[in-house]
């Protein structure tokens, strides 16, 4: 009787409720997960043009699928680039004693000699930059001749990927694609002369990769784990290749000092300055710790250029840099570069030169403005607020991304200073006119290519924004 009385009450309640309303005895949360209908659209279905079967899971599934597809394409593209580099390196040059040395160093690390005690090398030992890659591949494949081409191909691919990321940073989708394609075209399709430096290890490739990663860690401008990672990367690169002090650490410190001067705030550039000094301190501590247990011995460099040769190297620096970027053919490399690829690199060289010229002009104007502001009284010109390098107006006429109100972007200046630092290095260490000393210019090639990519990305974004405003 009690059950029948309860059923009669429930039926009476349902009859009392208006059609389409929810009975108070049957709340929505008891019916399982359901899609709530917005108040502005109370009715949904085929007649209204809305999808009544849509699920909130679809909004989360699509981004995951998109990311998975992008990851798959990036993996396939990276493997294809490694294969292309491997084929080009086999055609461009043969193995030498320098490449064999790092392969054997990798074998020694796999045998347990982590500090390479008993080894004798020059100032660029590649202990913590290139050698770990060789040790990894030796552990997988053993000591093989193919590692002389395969490991540099893998490292060059990583350099291209990081360079593409830096070139497309802070840009929208279309401009970012333009910047990435620029880098991929110049570094991903190298001429024969560029392949000798980019794909023949160990020619400072690991040091360049570590510097690019350190630059990326400094861009957020925060004292977090990325700041510590930048110090570790710069320290490991410096203890393995002392030239990193010139084209890696000093440009970071100089960029930080410029930030301090422009914004009249020590905090504005404290992070990069601290990272540069911390990198040198980390390299010193690593060297002392390794020496205490026994490590690779430094026998000195291969000498330095004479006064006459140094003056001659000043012109060779521009000549080799232009040749690496595709302007001409050097007989040292066997085989001619295809005409179409040569023409493409000539255009790329023009873009690199234009990006560098524009950046130098901006830097000169900012320094002039800084000097002019310094001569004025503080009452006439208030202190400038720190520039926000994380956001850039899309309609800015500045050719390079992330430019602040008082000068170019920090990353652009670091890359420019790194390029310029390779000139005195090459002038001093280039003992003769041999093209083998062109390896000292490899950082300038990579940094200049990134500047070209950032230049094209910024200009593409600016032109695209103007085009959209005109259509609107």
């Amino acid at each position: 009787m009690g059950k029948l009385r309860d059923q009669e009450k429930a039926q009476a309640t349902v009859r009392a409720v208006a059609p389409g309303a929810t009975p108070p005895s049957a709340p929505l949360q008891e019916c399982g997960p359901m899609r709530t209908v917005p108040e502005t659209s109370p009715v949904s279905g085929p007649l209204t043009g809305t999808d009544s079967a849509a699920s909130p899971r679809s909004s989360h599934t699509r981004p995951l699928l998109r990311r998975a597809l992008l990851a798959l394409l990036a993996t396939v593209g990276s493997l294809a680039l490694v294969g292309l580099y491997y084929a080009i390196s086999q055609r461009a040059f043969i193995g030498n004693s320098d490449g064999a040395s790092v392969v054997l160093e990798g074998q020694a690390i796999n045998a347990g000699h982590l500090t390479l005690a008993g080894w004798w090398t020059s100032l660029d030992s590649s202990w913590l930059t290139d050698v770990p890659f060789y040790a990894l591949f030796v552990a997988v494949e053993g000591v093989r001749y193919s590692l002389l081409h395969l490991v540099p191909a893998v490292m060059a691919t990583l350099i291209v990927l990081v360079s593409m990321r830096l070139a497309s940073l802070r840009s929208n989708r279309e401009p970012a694609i333009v910047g990435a394609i620029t880098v991929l075209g110049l570094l991903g399709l190298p001429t024969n002369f560029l392949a000798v430096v980019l794909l023949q290890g160990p020619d400072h490739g690991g040091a360049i990769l570590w510097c690019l990663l350190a630059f990326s860690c400094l861009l957020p401008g925060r004292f977090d784990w990325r700041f510590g990672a930048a110090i570790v990367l710069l320290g490991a690169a410096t203890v393995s290749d002392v030239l990193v002090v010139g084209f890696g650490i000093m440009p970071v410190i100089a960029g930080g000092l410029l930030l301090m001067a422009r914004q009249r705030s020590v905090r504005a550039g404290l992070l990069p300055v601290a990272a540069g000094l911390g990198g040198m301190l980390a390299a010193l501590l690593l060297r002392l710790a390794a020496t205490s247990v026994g490590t690779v011995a430094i026998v000195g460099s291969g000498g330095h250029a004479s006064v006459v040769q140094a003056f001659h190297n000043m012109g060779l620096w521009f000549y080799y840099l232009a040749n690496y970027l595709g302007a001409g053919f050097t007989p040292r490399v066997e085989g001619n570069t295809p005409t179409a690829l040569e023409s493409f690199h000539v255009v790329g060289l023009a873009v690199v030169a234009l990006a560098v010229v524009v950046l130098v002009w901006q830097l000169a104007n900012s320094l002039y403005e800084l000097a002019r502001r310094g001569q004025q009284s503080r009452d006439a010109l208030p202190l400038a607020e720190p520039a926000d390098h994380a956001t850039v107006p899309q309609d800015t006429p500045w050719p390079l991304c992330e430019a602040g109100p008082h000068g170019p972007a920090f990353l652009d200046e670091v890359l420019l200073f790194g390029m310029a630092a390779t000139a005195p290095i090459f002038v001093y260490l280039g003992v003769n006119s041999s093209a083998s000393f062109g390896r000292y210019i490899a950082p300038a090639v990579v940094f200049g290519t990134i500047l070209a990519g950032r230049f094209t990305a910024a200009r593409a974004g600016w032109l695209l924004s103007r085009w959209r405003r005109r259509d609107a």
Side-chain angles (χ1 to χ4, degrees):
M1 295 296 293
K3 293 183 178 179
L4 292 176
R5 192 177 294 111
D6 294 340
Q7 292 178 359
E8 291 176 358
K9 290 181 178 181
Q11 293 176 359
T13 303
V14 172
R15 287 193 297 268
V17 176
T22 302
S25 61
L28 287 177
Q29 55 266 27
E30 295 181 2
C31 301
M34 295 181 63
R35 183 175 65 90
T36 59
V37 181
E39 297 181 358
T40 56
S41 179
V43 181
S44 62
L47 297 179
T48 59
T50 59
D51 185 10
S52 60
S55 172
R57 296 182 179 179
S58 60
S59 60
H60 300 285
T61 304
R62 291 176 181 176
L64 292 177
L65 292 177
R66 188 182 299 110
R67 293 177 182 177
L69 180 59
L70 291 177
L72 178 62
L73 293 177
T75 302
V76 173
S78 300
L79 294 177
L81 188 58
V82 170
L84 176 63
Y85 276 154
Y86 183 78
I88 294 176
S89 64
Q90 285 185 320
R91 178 178 179 270
F93 58 87
I94 59 177
N96 53 26
S97 59
D98 292 336
S101 176
V102 288
V103 173
L104 296 178
E105 290 177 25
Q107 184 187 29
I109 288 182
N110 283 322
H113 305 286
L114 301 180
T115 59
L116 297 179
W119 282 78
W120 295 66
T121 64
S122 59
L123 292 176
D124 50 346
S125 64
S126 304
W127 171 36
L128 297 177
T129 52
D130 299 67
V131 175
F133 288 93
Y134 285 91
L136 177 62
F137 279 86
V138 167
V140 175
E141 294 191 8
V143 178
R144 297 178 181 273
Y145 173 79
S146 60
L147 297 183
L148 299 178
H149 300 282
L150 179 59
V151 177
V154 172
M155 296 181 65
T157 300
L158 294 177
I159 291 175
V160 171
L161 293 178
V162 178
S163 300
M164 292 171 63
R165 171 59 181 166
L166 292 177
S168 58
L169 204 60
R170 310 299 183 190
S171 297
N172 290 333
R173 180 180 300 177
E174 294 83 359
I177 294 175
V178 173
I181 291 177
T182 302
V183 173
L184 182 62
L186 293 177
L187 293 181
L189 300 174
T191 61
N192 292 334
F193 191 43
L194 177 59
V196 173
V197 174
L198 187 63
L199 303 177
Q200 184 172 223
D203 281 345
H204 311 284
I208 296 173
L209 178 60
W210 271 201
C211 287
L212 294 179
L213 292 176
F215 299 162
S216 302
C217 292
L218 293 176
L219 291 182
R222 299 176 181 176
F223 286 95
D224 52 11
W225 66 269
R226 287 167 291 194
F227 171 73
I231 293 179
V232 172
L233 289 169
L234 292 176
T238 303
V239 78
S240 306
D241 190 349
V242 71
L243 299 182
V244 172
V245 176
F247 64 79
I249 290 182
M250 297 309 298
V252 170
I253 295 177
L257 293 177
L258 278 177
L259 286 177
M260 293 181 182
R262 288 198 186 103
Q263 302 175 15
R264 298 184 182 181
S265 173
V266 176
R267 295 180 57 186
L270 181 60
L271 184 137
V273 172
L277 297 178
M280 289 191 290
L281 179 60
L284 179 61
L285 294 178
L286 282 173
R287 182 62 188 175
L288 292 177
T291 304
S292 64
V293 298
T295 186
V296 57
I298 304 299
V299 297
S301 62
H304 58 85
S306 61
V307 176
V308 176
Q309 183 63 39
F311 278 100
H312 185 58
N313 289 343
M314 294 180 184
L316 284 179
W317 184 83
F318 292 97
Y319 174 76
Y320 283 146
L321 181 61
N323 274 270
Y324 286 140
L325 293 173
F329 168 72
T330 301
R332 177 178 180 271
V333 184
E334 297 180 0
N336 292 317
T337 302
T339 303
L341 181 59
E342 189 82 18
S343 302
F344 174 79
H345 276 268
V346 171
V347 176
L349 173 62
V351 175
V352 173
L354 180 60
V356 171
V357 170
V358 171
L359 182 57
V360 170
W361 177 259
Q362 293 178 5
L363 179 61
N365 286 338
S366 67
L367 293 178
Y368 172 77
E369 180 67 20
L370 180 63
R372 187 180 65 85
R373 287 194 300 154
Q375 294 177 358
Q376 296 178 356
S377 62
R378 293 182 179 269
D379 295 334
L381 185 64
L383 294 179
E385 294 293 333
D388 183 10
H389 292 273
T391 58
V392 183
Q394 292 300 319
D395 57 347
T396 174
W398 291 72
L400 294 176
C401 300
E402 303 180 50
H406 300 301
F410 166 76
L411 177 59
D412 297 330
E413 292 178 334
V414 170
L415 295 173
L416 179 64
F417 295 155
M419 285 188 65
T422 61
I425 293 174
F426 174 77
V427 169
Y428 180 76
L429 296 179
V431 178
N432 52 51
S433 301
S434 174
S436 60
F437 292 102
R439 63 182 182 273
Y440 299 127
I441 311 178
V445 176
V446 177
F447 295 169
T449 303
I450 298 175
L451 285 177
R454 291 172 60 80
F455 177 86
T456 55
R459 296 308 297 174
W462 181 65
L463 293 175
L464 183 61
S465 63
R466 294 194 61 182
W467 180 272
R468 289 174 177 173
R469 285 201 307 269
R470 189 183 66 175
D471 291 344

